[in-house]
Amino acid sequence: MAASHFDEMSHRFRCQNVKCRNLFSVVLRRLLEVDKIVCPECGQTMDIRDSKKRGAIRKDFDTAERLDIEAARMK
């Protein structure tokens, strides 16, 4: 059985700390379960609740869900 797109897709972040600005990705499945993420480079915490509700992360969630539905129909 194929994995869910929530396990295959990730969202890219740029650390908000002006001294760091590290680029990193987090798998969508993990983002479903948390309201904050931490930069792996400097430890800066970022609140992602708004993005999960109506921003770029929400769009990624919607895309993953749509792709999962399409994959299930093709079985």
Side-chain angles (χ1 to χ4, degrees), residues 42-72:
C42 74
Q44 174 78 31
T45 301
M46 293 179 270
D47 189 322
I48 60 170
R49 289 178 289 185
D50 285 340
S51 187
K52 285 174 63 172
K53 289 179 185 173
R54 58 184 168 270
I57 296 173
R58 173 85 262 150
K59 290 177 185 176
D60 287 349
F61 287 169
D62 292 344
T63 298
E65 182 177 25
R66 181 178 45 79
L67 290 171
D68 281 352
I69 290 169
E70 289 174 12

Side-chain angles (χ1 to χ4, degrees), residues 11-45:
H11 185 80
R12 284 187 64 95
F13 293 92
R14 179 176 298 275
C15 181
Q16 296 171 344
N17 179 345
V18 295
K19 293 182 180 179
C20 178
R21 306 302 287 166
N22 180 47
L23 285 172
F24 61 98
S25 297
V26 179
V27 174
L28 292 183
R29 174 79 58 202
R30 181 165 178 258
L31 296 177
L32 287 170
E33 302 166 356
V34 299
D35 290 332
K36 295 179 181 182
I37 57 163
V38 177
C39 173
E41 186 71 26
C42 74
Q44 174 78 31
T45 301

